[in-house]
Amino acid sequence: MPDYLDDLRLAHVLADAADAATTDRFKALDLKVETKPDMTPVSEADKAAEELIRGQLQRARPRDAILGEEYGVEGTGPRRWVIDPIDGTKNYVRGVPVWATLISLMEAGEGGFQPVVGVVSAPALGRRWWAAKGHGAFSGRSLTKASKLQVSRVSKLSDASFAYSSLSGWEEQGRLDGFLDLTREVWRTRAYGDFWPYMMVAEGSVDMCAEPELSLWDMAANAIIVTEAGGSFTGLDARPGPHSGNAAASNGLLHDELLGYLNQRY
């Protein structure tokens, strides 16, 4: 089996470059922000970070394909880098420090492309998380200064912490009743949003999280980090991986109950 460690090291180099670009424009008074056709914001920093990552990938991995949120798909082949230059753009443009660059390498296999490397870098929080298939998941300042991640062992909903982004998407999908029933059963709920709850599931500080509507670049890096930390990452349809247009992540022990509530009246 490939060890993917060279690809992981490259992903860290890409994240370093993106961090420099995004932090330079964070809280800039002259930051330019546009509205995309789907009515979500995109800043000049999103575009600059993705352009930077694409340029480095084209030099370092010219045979690999690239899929990014801002500039779409480029290239074909069995290996594809998936990039979200700033996950949490709404936070970024308002000066909230909860945003990150998400970088993943996906490889063709049974059931389609699957993530084999993931890096989530949140420079305004001073945090970075990463994983490579078969090598576990880690968090730290660098590859050499890291601690291994492990999901929690909480096995009862009444003891569990559940994280989500907002209520609106659940209501639009007709899943709100089940979602609210779940919030009444758990010990604690918090709306952290974006990449952060998945990273907290991986490090064991949150036991489960879910979102009703997502794109592949929102999920690929998160999925490999959660699973390499010993957790479960599926769609709301229970399909493993980041392919369902939505996500549920947990320590594994609570996953069936999590999906049961979110699908109970759907």
Side-chain angles (χ1 to χ4, degrees):
M1 186 179 77
D3 67 15
Y4 302 110
L5 293 181
D6 283 343
D7 295 309
L8 179 61
R9 282 188 281 270
L10 174 59
H12 275 274
V13 171
L14 300 173
D16 289 342
D19 285 356
T22 53
T23 54
D24 183 59
R25 299 299 292 154
F26 185 49
K27 296 187 178 179
L29 297 178
D30 60 343
L31 181 72
K32 294 182 177 65
V33 182
E34 303 168 10
T35 300
K36 293 192 285 190
D38 64 359
M39 302 308 292
T40 60
V42 56
S43 74
E44 62 182 84
D46 291 80
K47 294 179 178 180
E50 184 167 326
E51 288 170 355
L52 195 64
I53 293 169
R54 282 177 178 270
Q56 293 201 16
L57 281 172
Q58 284 159 359
R59 290 188 294 273
R61 296 288 190 275
R63 296 182 180 180
D64 294 351
I66 305 171
L67 168 64
E69 179 176 10
E70 307 308 334
Y71 295 106
V73 180
E74 184 177 354
T76 59
R79 287 163 49 98
R80 177 183 294 174
W81 294 86
V82 180
I83 306 158
D84 189 344
I86 299 179
D87 183 51
T89 298
K90 292 177 183 177
N91 283 345
Y92 184 88
V93 301
R94 289 297 304 271
V96 178
V98 183
W99 49 271
T101 295
L102 277 54
I103 300 168
S104 179
L105 173 63
M106 301 186 74
E107 209 168 56
E110 291 184 19
F113 281 87
Q114 297 297 335
V116 293
V117 167
V119 172
V120 173
S121 190
L125 295 177
R127 299 293 309 277
R128 185 178 290 186
W129 303 261
W130 62 89
K133 185 177 180 180
H135 290 277
F138 297 84
S139 178
R141 294 286 183 177
S142 68
L143 280 166
T144 56
K145 296 180 180 178
S147 55
K148 191 168 186 179
L149 302 181
Q150 179 66 47
V151 296
S152 74
R153 301 302 299 167
V154 172
S155 59
K156 294 181 180 178
L157 284 181
S158 57
D159 296 329
S161 179
F162 170 55
Y164 60 96
S165 286
S166 67
L167 294 178
S168 58
W170 301 105
E171 188 169 25
E172 289 163 9
Q173 290 194 5
R175 299 179 189 266
L176 184 60
D177 288 341
F179 173 89
L180 292 175
D181 285 348
L182 175 62
T183 67
R184 296 182 185 107
E185 291 298 318
V186 298
W187 166 64
R188 194 170 191 247
T189 62
R190 285 293 183 271
Y192 297 109
D194 300 306
F195 67 93
W196 206 9
Y198 301 96
M199 298 303 97
M200 288 192 278
V201 168
E203 60 191 22
S205 53
V206 164
D207 307 302
M208 53 187 182
C209 64
E211 289 182 90
E213 188 174 1
L214 293 167
S215 298
L216 181 61
W217 47 76
D218 297 314
M219 297 183 281
N222 295 338
I224 183 69
I225 294 171
V226 168
T227 54
E228 284 293 320
S232 296
F233 189 106
T234 72
L236 297 176
D237 58 3
R239 180 185 177 189
H243 301 288
S244 301
N246 47 48
S250 77
N251 62 7
L253 301 173
L254 299 165
H255 209 76
D256 288 345
E257 287 181 282
L258 171 62
L259 294 178
Y261 273 94
L262 296 179
N263 288 308
Q264 69 178 9
R265 302 181 193 180
Y266 180 61

